[in-house]
Amino acid sequence: MPSVAVLGASGFTGALAAHLLWRHPDFELGAVTARTDVGRRLDDLYPRHRVPLELEELDVERHGAVDAAVVAYPHGASAPVVAALRERGARVVDLSADFRLRDRATYEDWYGPHGAPELFGTAVYGLPELYRDAVRGAALVAAPGCYPTATLLALAPLARAGLIADVVVDAKSGVSGAGRAATEATHFVTVDENVNAYGVAHHRHSPEIDQELAALGAPVAATFTPHLVPLDQGELVSCYVTPSRAVEDDELRALYAAAYASEPFIELAQRPPGVRDVRDTNVCRISVHADARTGKAIAFAAIDNLWKGAAAQAVQCLNLMFGLDERAGLA
Amino acid sequence: MPSVAVLGASGFTGALAAHLLWRHPDFELGAVTARTDVGRRLDDLYPRHRVPLELEELDVERHGAVDAAVVAYPHGASAPVVAALRERGARVVDLSADFRLRDRATYEDWYGPHGAPELFGTAVYGLPELYRDAVRGAALVAAPGCYPTATLLALAPLARAGLIADVVVDAKSGVSGAGRAATEATHFVTVDENVNAYGVAHHRHSPEIDQELAALGAPVAATFTPHLVPLDQGELVSCYVTPSRAVEDDELRALYAAAYASEPFIELAQRPPGVRDVRDTNVCRISVHADARTGKAIAFAAIDNLWKGAAAQAVQCLNLMFGLDERAGLA
Amino acid sequence: MPSVAVLGASGFTGALAAHLLWRHPDFELGAVTARTDVGRRLDDLYPRHRVPLELEELDVERHGAVDAAVVAYPHGASAPVVAALRERGARVVDLSADFRLRDRATYEDWYGPHGAPELFGTAVYGLPELYRDAVRGAALVAAPGCYPTATLLALAPLARAGLIADVVVDAKSGVSGAGRAATEATHFVTVDENVNAYGVAHHRHSPEIDQELAALGAPVAATFTPHLVPLDQGELVSCYVTPSRAVEDDELRALYAAAYASEPFIELAQRPPGVRDVRDTNVCRISVHADARTGKAIAFAAIDNLWKGAAAQAVQCLNLMFGLDERAGLA
Amino acid sequence: MPSVAVLGASGFTGALAAHLLWRHPDFELGAVTARTDVGRRLDDLYPRHRVPLELEELDVERHGAVDAAVVAYPHGASAPVVAALRERGARVVDLSADFRLRDRATYEDWYGPHGAPELFGTAVYGLPELYRDAVRGAALVAAPGCYPTATLLALAPLARAGLIADVVVDAKSGVSGAGRAATEATHFVTVDENVNAYGVAHHRHSPEIDQELAALGAPVAATFTPHLVPLDQGELVSCYVTPSRAVEDDELRALYAAAYASEPFIELAQRPPGVRDVRDTNVCRISVHADARTGKAIAFAAIDNLWKGAAAQAVQCLNLMFGLDERAGLA
């Protein structure tokens, strides 16, 4: 049974990845490492995940001997570690932004110098619904951010049909998306009974969204605005498309039904999806609507930001990379 | 001291109007009536409002003898009662949709036959920031819906400047906006840890928004989509404007500063406003931003849907109608 | 594979039981019936449970032909249906209060006349940690209420050791415990940002708790007070025991460790458990403490009220009744 | 008009005290100082409080020239500053624990060496409902903790009547009680959908509660256990009293009615109070019940922990100290 290490397992996404691999029927969780909380057991830090392993300091020699690793580090910190793991032959799913972009200058504009330039541009973008075959053969997968995951799944059928002339994406995310760091922004009293936008006109997921929309056939600059809402796990994107020609409900629904007919983790709904519908699952639930008054096409996608938006999608990729049933350990 | 009755005081907005008038220095709360819970004391039903009056059944003869009334009935039920009050000479602020629209056919499309056609079209639209002088002299004021209130205040400076070529409005509202009726939609378990859109491509506030945007100089069909978020009081609208020409941050901020310089209840903020910032106040907090990447102008407005979105705005109108300081009882 | 029907699957506990049986490796979900929402698909009503079956009206002839049934009816409505199922040979786990009490007069004091008196007193109390062997052979199991489940598991070691002279139980429950009915009590705006006690000095779970404490060796009248807290699933009981003799931390922890050493669904914690720790699991997480200042022994137990407090515990019982691994379908 | 400074105004209670004094009709807010965020405006840090003053570094010479000060520092840090202010003649309401206890050894057991021993024991305990006359003449008031405030108001009538043989206090508090520091304990994801006890058998408010219960005539060691619940402002204490003789509902209610008849900030309720009922008010809402099954007397008290539990109670004390209407600025 292939052995997988999780690096950065003290954060929300790393810990969930460890949980999913621990209970996975076809992988062995080889080790959990972290840069904080070393020596603590994961089931002390996250009782609900019930992983009885101790967090270790990373030892590339030892931990690089696994068959694969999920790296849940912040951008910048991730690239050199990924490179070290790849040198030792481990396949890697990286959850950071370090390998998602394909244009080096764009990466450096947003994140600064890259920590493993020799690997830049070599990763497969880990959204199986768009890149399934490439993921199957990949040694290095860059798992998408949670916002691009939901946005691209909401828009892919329209983009491929050449229907997107312009698009506004208004995203709402639960607080786990902000990570485990205790800050004023994640303090309960800041978030509770509140809603607000952040990163207006300047969010790091924008270039990733634009890159992939272009790859799908929609070379637009999407207006992307995330909002923080008072809940834990869950993310909803509301996508307002100015279509390149008039569209109607029936055509849109048929388009999405055809695009996603055989997708194991996409659900199409008549009514707008709620984030509760997908909590603690790898499902992306989507609805699409024509607004006859204004001519817009409106698509909603709900995901669990920690699952389909990060850790579970990483496992979905690992399943493909190791020739397993794509749904293994995720049902 | 003028006496004011609140009709429909068992609901959230009516009860809050009663609270605000009860503690108001320049009005006397003459009576509270309701169609349910008659005989219960308001401070039993809503302890936090501390209004020690009993809910009475409406008696138009008796209750119409007040100087003014706030009517917090559903659309349809409101019009005939408003007409009866007006016949007896009481000035009225109506919180329903019955007198907001100026086109009779549009009203009937959305709400059916009108219950007091002789009064249709005679009300002043009770958004003081747009119609202050008219409200001062009005006998009948149609208080705006909570969504139009926030949306119009967010967009008025752009509309008046002729800058709105197209606009998408993504609104997020707390659950009190759905009213006191206990339904599957307002059950705690439905809403908690959830976000979803509703009324997609068909919300009753759309014609009201379009009517007033046109009056401001922006004859567009706004794409308006409300979402339910897990909090009690509060509403945020995120408005994505395709401008008719290129705009920059400085120009936008100067435009809003000029428009709202002397408004007692408008706050301009550099950062996107949160609904916590305005909870339990009559304040509308606004920020405006240019998105250099996409060319959009983005405006956010946060209000308390029960206060500035309904009951407190009604009191603001009453203050104007009776020649008081607009801020009386609302500071 | 044994076939199991869920009766009353439109409510929270019935729907969850259906979900757990649908994905269970060793049972087949034979049918889902309901008294409301007949004809709707369960995955329309509860998308997150993903059970693609239609709710049917109960047909005792047809639905009684299963190997077993989980009955999720309110008390009173349950007894006659249970009797009908038993007549047809189906084994039954009943989630109502109808078969939990062993004293008929007590039942009638709290609930009125019993609907199947011939079966009264014949059920096994479905708390496997206390009655495992009896559950194994049972044809009719009365699953405990959520409050007794947590309270009895928190107190059993102390009760068996004869250490309980008096006990105060302060319970906090999420709103799903109040069921799916939309009422003023379950309206989001009632519950949000609120905490309050209910059923003070008169909660229906009291006689059940006292009956089982007595059976364990603690013939006391427990002071039991439930509180509603603003969350969905989860329940915490805080039990303040006046011990019959002085106790210390070490002794208490040893007592609990011994009592629960081999229990698959009991977790002992050093720190007080949180309900998050057990959400969406069949686990009961417990801590016990001696208060040196006051002499009290304090035990906390956290469960998910819908899982260990109802539906998952029913599946745990079914596993035992059919000779399966007790953990099947619940890991 | 007397001038009041607020020291420590960057925290939740200090900021609220500043807000209350800013809008107070009979006090002038002289200055706001802080140990963090110096130079930021308070209405930038807390928009909802709308206090347009800049946080200054403490300058005892200058800030000590006010008529009074509210000190919202942590224990330990408070005492020397209070001493410096008193030397300059300013009257002080201290919100820390530094002057609440009357036994020096007890203070040092819980908090370490005292920072102003010459003042130890000279403060009046600032619970006006128990010490109104003493507060009127006081130069130094030690405002009670939020837990003792609610607990003592819930229990005072029973204590004075000699009815408390033993008592268990189970308290539930919103997260603002944990203060503004961003920690794992105050992270939204830790608290949301969670409830847990903390400080079990060892909470710093215990000696304060016991001291005051003894002063009221109930020399018991109260079993006190606080819990964190997922809401912002609000605190409920549930007090389970083993009475020294049998009691009944009528007697208890009469006892409380007599004790609190003329209290402006105590409300007696028939049903258990909810924390929503008192949010953003200085009100303590109380109910009392006899449990006929178990013989216990049960009292509940709900307060807003930041208002009656801290900042508003400080203003109530200031009103008394300066001969104003006790309700001034708090209605």
Side-chain angles (χ1 to χ4, degrees):
Chain A
M1 203 182 294
S3 170
V4 186
V6 175
L7 278 57
S10 63
F12 292 157
T13 54
L16 177 59
H19 166 74
L20 292 171
L21 290 162
W22 175 256
R23 67 172 205 181
H24 197 289
D26 304 313
F27 288 116
E28 180 193 22
L29 178 60
V32 285
T33 80
R35 304 183 308 162
T36 62
D37 301 288
V38 169
R40 283 184 74 178
R41 266 175 55 154
L42 206 51
D43 58 3
D44 177 54
L45 205 53
Y46 296 95
R48 64 189 303 244
H49 287 331
R50 299 189 160 71
V51 177
L53 299 185
E54 197 171 285
L55 289 167
E56 305 173 44
E57 195 160 1
L58 177 65
D59 173 343
V60 174
E61 286 312 318
R62 191 153 51 87
H63 296 128
V66 290
D67 298 292
V70 174
V71 180
Y73 276 24
H75 62 82
S78 192
V81 171
V82 168
L85 292 167
R86 287 295 307 124
E87 266 175 37
R88 278 151 191 83
R91 282 182 267 185
V92 175
V93 178
D94 180 35
L95 286 161
S96 84
D98 281 358
F99 298 98
R100 292 173 190 159
L101 296 176
R102 285 189 283 271
D103 182 73
R104 180 92 172 268
T106 302
Y107 179 90
E108 291 180 348
D109 276 359
W110 288 85
Y111 299 101
H114 195 271
E118 70 283 7
L119 286 180
F120 191 90
T122 69
V124 171
Y125 192 71
L127 193 52
E129 288 76 11
L130 303 188
Y131 294 97
R132 182 168 284 114
D133 286 342
V135 171
R136 277 203 181 95
L140 172 56
V141 165
C146 54
Y147 289 126
T149 293
T151 302
L152 295 168
L153 294 176
L155 293 175
L158 288 170
R160 284 180 168 150
L163 281 168
I164 304 183
D166 186 32
V167 60
V168 166
V169 180
D170 184 292
K172 297 93 181 160
S173 173
V175 185
S176 62
R180 189 184 160 215
T183 66
E184 187 162 345
T186 60
H187 194 298
F188 184 87
V189 171
T190 304
V191 179
D192 179 52
E193 300 294 301
N194 204 0
V195 184
N196 60 272
Y198 68 96
V200 176
H202 194 79
H203 191 279
R204 278 168 162 159
H205 282 172
S206 278
E208 188 182 336
I209 291 170
D210 288 359
Q211 163 185 293
E212 295 300 322
L213 283 178
L216 286 162
V220 295
T223 299
F224 170 73
T225 308
H227 297 72
L228 199 61
V229 289
L231 56 92
D232 173 5
Q233 289 169 230
E235 188 171 298
L236 178 73
V237 295
S238 308
C239 304
Y240 303 95
V241 173
T242 305
S244 52
R245 60 168 173 79
V247 292
E248 293 188 359
D249 265 341
D250 288 350
E251 177 190 2
L252 293 177
R253 293 188 173 176
L255 187 67
Y256 278 65
Y260 291 137
S262 57
E263 283 300 336
F265 291 113
I266 306 274
E267 275 180 10
L268 297 179
Q270 299 289 320
R271 284 172 294 165
V275 301
R276 265 189 97 85
D277 299 341
V278 297
R279 184 179 167 124
D280 288 333
T281 75
N282 196 47
V283 172
C284 179
R285 190 171 170 98
I286 295 173
S287 74
V288 65
H289 313 260
D291 186 338
R293 276 182 63 255
T294 69
K296 294 282 191 291
I298 307 177
F300 302 96
I303 61 169
D304 185 314
N305 55 300
L306 295 183
W307 283 65
K308 180 62 177 168
Q313 185 152 263
V315 172
Q316 186 184 358
C317 289
L318 283 171
N319 287 341
L320 289 166
M321 293 159 78
F322 283 83
L324 303 172
D325 182 329
E326 189 170 341
R327 295 163 301 182
L330 295 173
Chain B
M1 201 182 296
S3 171
V4 186
V6 175
L7 277 57
S10 62
F12 291 157
T13 54
L16 177 57
H19 167 75
L20 293 172
L21 289 163
W22 175 255
R23 69 173 205 182
H24 197 290
D26 304 314
F27 288 116
E28 182 194 19
L29 177 59
V32 286
T33 78
R35 304 184 307 164
T36 62
D37 301 289
V38 169
R40 282 184 75 177
R41 267 175 55 154
L42 206 49
D43 58 2
D44 177 54
L45 204 53
Y46 295 95
R48 66 189 301 243
H49 287 330
R50 297 188 162 70
V51 177
L53 299 185
E54 196 171 285
L55 288 167
E56 306 172 44
E57 194 161 1
L58 177 65
D59 172 342
V60 175
E61 286 312 318
R62 191 153 52 86
H63 296 127
V66 290
D67 297 293
V70 174
V71 179
Y73 277 23
H75 62 82
S78 193
V81 170
V82 168
L85 292 166
R86 287 297 304 124
E87 265 174 39
R88 278 150 191 84
R91 282 183 264 183
V92 174
V93 178
D94 179 37
L95 287 160
S96 84
D98 281 357
F99 297 97
R100 292 174 189 157
L101 296 177
R102 284 189 286 272
D103 183 71
R104 179 93 171 267
T106 304
Y107 180 89
E108 291 180 348
D109 276 359
W110 288 84
Y111 300 102
H114 194 272
E118 69 285 6
L119 288 180
F120 192 89
T122 69
V124 171
Y125 192 70
L127 193 52
E129 289 75 11
L130 303 188
Y131 294 97
R132 183 167 284 115
D133 288 341
V135 171
R136 275 201 183 97
L140 171 57
V141 166
C146 54
Y147 289 125
T149 292
T151 302
L152 295 169
L153 294 176
L155 293 176
L158 288 169
R160 283 180 168 150
L163 282 167
I164 304 182
D166 187 31
V167 60
V168 166
V169 180
D170 184 293
K172 297 93 180 160
S173 174
V175 186
S176 62
R180 191 186 159 213
T183 65
E184 186 161 349
T186 60
H187 194 298
F188 184 88
V189 170
T190 304
V191 178
D192 180 54
E193 300 296 300
N194 203 0
V195 184
N196 60 273
Y198 68 96
V200 176
H202 195 79
H203 192 279
R204 280 170 162 158
H205 282 172
S206 278
E208 188 182 336
I209 291 171
D210 288 359
Q211 163 185 294
E212 296 300 321
L213 283 178
L216 287 163
V220 295
T223 299
F224 171 72
T225 308
H227 297 71
L228 200 60
V229 289
L231 55 92
D232 173 8
Q233 291 169 228
E235 187 171 299
L236 179 73
V237 295
S238 309
C239 304
Y240 303 94
V241 173
T242 305
S244 52
R245 60 169 174 77
V247 292
E248 293 188 358
D249 264 341
D250 288 350
E251 179 191 1
L252 293 177
R253 291 188 175 178
L255 187 68
Y256 278 65
Y260 290 136
S262 58
E263 282 301 334
F265 292 113
I266 306 275
E267 275 181 11
L268 297 179
Q270 299 289 318
R271 284 172 294 168
V275 301
R276 265 188 96 85
D277 299 342
V278 296
R279 183 179 168 125
D280 288 333
T281 75
N282 195 47
V283 172
C284 178
R285 192 172 169 97
I286 296 173
S287 75
V288 64
H289 313 260
D291 186 337
R293 275 182 63 258
T294 68
K296 292 283 192 291
I298 307 177
F300 302 97
I303 61 169
D304 185 313
N305 55 301
L306 295 183
W307 284 64
K308 182 62 178 166
Q313 184 152 265
V315 172
Q316 186 183 358
C317 288
L318 283 172
N319 286 341
L320 289 166
M321 292 159 79
F322 283 83
L324 304 171
D325 182 329
E326 190 170 342
R327 297 162 301 184
L330 294 173
Chain C
M1 201 181 297
S3 171
V4 185
V6 175
L7 278 56
S10 63
F12 292 158
T13 53
L16 177 59
H19 166 74
L20 293 171
L21 289 162
W22 175 254
R23 66 172 208 184
H24 197 289
D26 304 314
F27 288 115
E28 181 193 21
L29 178 59
V32 286
T33 79
R35 305 185 305 164
T36 62
D37 300 288
V38 169
R40 283 185 75 178
R41 266 175 55 154
L42 206 49
D43 57 4
D44 177 55
L45 206 54
Y46 295 95
R48 65 189 304 242
H49 287 331
R50 299 189 159 69
V51 177
L53 298 185
E54 196 171 286
L55 289 167
E56 305 172 44
E57 195 160 359
L58 177 64
D59 171 343
V60 175
E61 286 312 318
R62 190 154 51 88
H63 297 126
V66 291
D67 297 293
V70 174
V71 179
Y73 276 23
H75 61 82
S78 193
V81 170
V82 168
L85 293 166
R86 286 296 306 122
E87 266 175 37
R88 278 151 191 84
R91 282 183 266 184
V92 175
V93 178
D94 180 37
L95 286 161
S96 84
D98 281 358
F99 297 98
R100 292 173 189 158
L101 296 176
R102 285 189 284 270
D103 182 72
R104 178 96 171 264
T106 302
Y107 179 89
E108 291 179 348
D109 276 359
W110 288 84
Y111 300 100
H114 194 271
E118 71 284 6
L119 287 180
F120 192 89
T122 68
V124 171
Y125 193 71
L127 194 52
E129 289 76 9
L130 303 188
Y131 294 99
R132 182 167 284 115
D133 287 341
V135 171
R136 277 201 181 96
L140 171 57
V141 166
C146 55
Y147 288 127
T149 293
T151 303
L152 295 168
L153 294 176
L155 293 175
L158 288 170
R160 282 179 170 149
L163 281 168
I164 303 181
D166 187 32
V167 61
V168 166
V169 180
D170 184 292
K172 296 95 180 160
S173 173
V175 185
S176 62
R180 190 186 160 214
T183 66
E184 186 162 348
T186 59
H187 193 298
F188 185 87
V189 170
T190 304
V191 178
D192 179 54
E193 300 294 301
N194 205 1
V195 184
N196 60 272
Y198 67 96
V200 175
H202 194 79
H203 191 281
R204 279 170 162 158
H205 283 171
S206 278
E208 188 182 336
I209 291 170
D210 288 0
Q211 163 185 292
E212 295 300 321
L213 283 178
L216 286 162
V220 295
T223 299
F224 171 73
T225 308
H227 297 71
L228 199 61
V229 290
L231 56 92
D232 172 7
Q233 289 168 231
E235 188 172 298
L236 178 73
V237 295
S238 308
C239 304
Y240 304 94
V241 172
T242 305
S244 52
R245 62 169 172 76
V247 292
E248 294 188 357
D249 265 340
D250 288 351
E251 179 192 1
L252 292 177
R253 292 187 174 178
L255 187 68
Y256 278 65
Y260 291 135
S262 58
E263 283 300 335
F265 291 113
I266 306 274
E267 276 181 10
L268 298 178
Q270 299 288 318
R271 284 173 294 167
V275 301
R276 264 188 96 85
D277 299 342
V278 296
R279 184 179 167 123
D280 288 333
T281 75
N282 196 46
V283 172
C284 179
R285 191 170 169 97
I286 295 172
S287 75
V288 64
H289 314 261
D291 185 338
R293 277 181 62 256
T294 69
K296 294 283 191 290
I298 307 178
F300 301 97
I303 61 169
D304 184 314
N305 54 299
L306 294 182
W307 284 65
K308 182 61 177 167
Q313 184 152 263
V315 172
Q316 186 184 359
C317 288
L318 283 172
N319 286 342
L320 289 166
M321 292 159 79
F322 283 82
L324 303 172
D325 182 328
E326 188 170 342
R327 296 164 301 182
L330 296 172
Chain D
M1 203 182 293
S3 170
V4 186
V6 175
L7 278 57
S10 62
F12 292 156
T13 54
L16 177 59
H19 166 74
L20 293 172
L21 290 162
W22 176 255
R23 68 172 207 184
H24 197 289
D26 303 314
F27 287 115
E28 181 192 22
L29 178 58
V32 287
T33 80
R35 304 184 307 163
T36 62
D37 301 289
V38 169
R40 281 185 75 178
R41 266 175 56 153
L42 206 50
D43 57 4
D44 176 55
L45 206 53
Y46 295 95
R48 66 189 302 243
H49 287 331
R50 300 190 156 71
V51 177
L53 299 185
E54 198 171 284
L55 289 166
E56 306 173 44
E57 195 161 2
L58 178 65
D59 172 343
V60 174
E61 286 313 318
R62 190 154 52 86
H63 296 127
V66 291
D67 298 292
V70 174
V71 180
Y73 276 24
H75 62 83
S78 193
V81 170
V82 168
L85 292 166
R86 288 296 306 125
E87 267 174 37
R88 278 150 191 86
R91 283 182 264 185
V92 175
V93 178
D94 180 36
L95 286 161
S96 85
D98 280 359
F99 297 99
R100 292 175 190 157
L101 296 176
R102 285 189 284 271
D103 183 71
R104 179 92 172 268
T106 303
Y107 179 89
E108 291 179 347
D109 276 359
W110 288 84
Y111 300 100
H114 195 271
E118 69 285 5
L119 287 180
F120 191 91
T122 69
V124 171
Y125 192 71
L127 194 51
E129 289 76 10
L130 303 187
Y131 294 98
R132 183 167 284 116
D133 287 341
V135 171
R136 277 200 182 97
L140 172 55
V141 166
C146 54
Y147 289 125
T149 292
T151 303
L152 294 169
L153 294 176
L155 293 176
L158 288 169
R160 283 180 168 149
L163 281 168
I164 304 182
D166 187 30
V167 60
V168 167
V169 180
D170 184 293
K172 297 94 180 161
S173 175
V175 186
S176 62
R180 190 185 159 213
T183 65
E184 186 162 346
T186 60
H187 194 299
F188 184 86
V189 171
T190 305
V191 179
D192 180 53
E193 300 295 300
N194 203 0
V195 184
N196 60 272
Y198 67 96
V200 176
H202 194 78
H203 192 280
R204 279 168 161 158
H205 283 171
S206 278
E208 189 182 335
I209 291 170
D210 288 359
Q211 163 185 294
E212 296 300 322
L213 282 178
L216 287 162
V220 295
T223 299
F224 171 73
T225 308
H227 296 71
L228 200 61
V229 289
L231 55 94
D232 173 7
Q233 290 169 230
E235 188 171 297
L236 179 73
V237 294
S238 309
C239 305
Y240 303 93
V241 173
T242 305
S244 53
R245 60 168 173 78
V247 292
E248 294 188 358
D249 264 340
D250 288 350
E251 178 191 4
L252 293 177
R253 293 187 172 178
L255 188 67
Y256 277 65
Y260 290 136
S262 58
E263 283 300 336
F265 291 113
I266 306 274
E267 275 180 9
L268 297 179
Q270 300 287 319
R271 284 172 294 166
V275 301
R276 264 188 97 85
D277 300 340
V278 297
R279 184 178 168 126
D280 289 333
T281 75
N282 195 46
V283 172
C284 179
R285 191 171 169 99
I286 296 172
S287 74
V288 64
H289 313 261
D291 186 337
R293 276 183 62 256
T294 69
K296 293 284 191 290
I298 308 178
F300 301 97
I303 61 170
D304 185 313
N305 55 301
L306 294 183
W307 282 66
K308 181 62 178 168
Q313 184 151 264
V315 172
Q316 186 184 358
C317 288
L318 283 171
N319 286 342
L320 289 166
M321 293 160 79
F322 283 83
L324 303 172
D325 182 330
E326 190 169 342
R327 296 162 301 182
L330 295 172

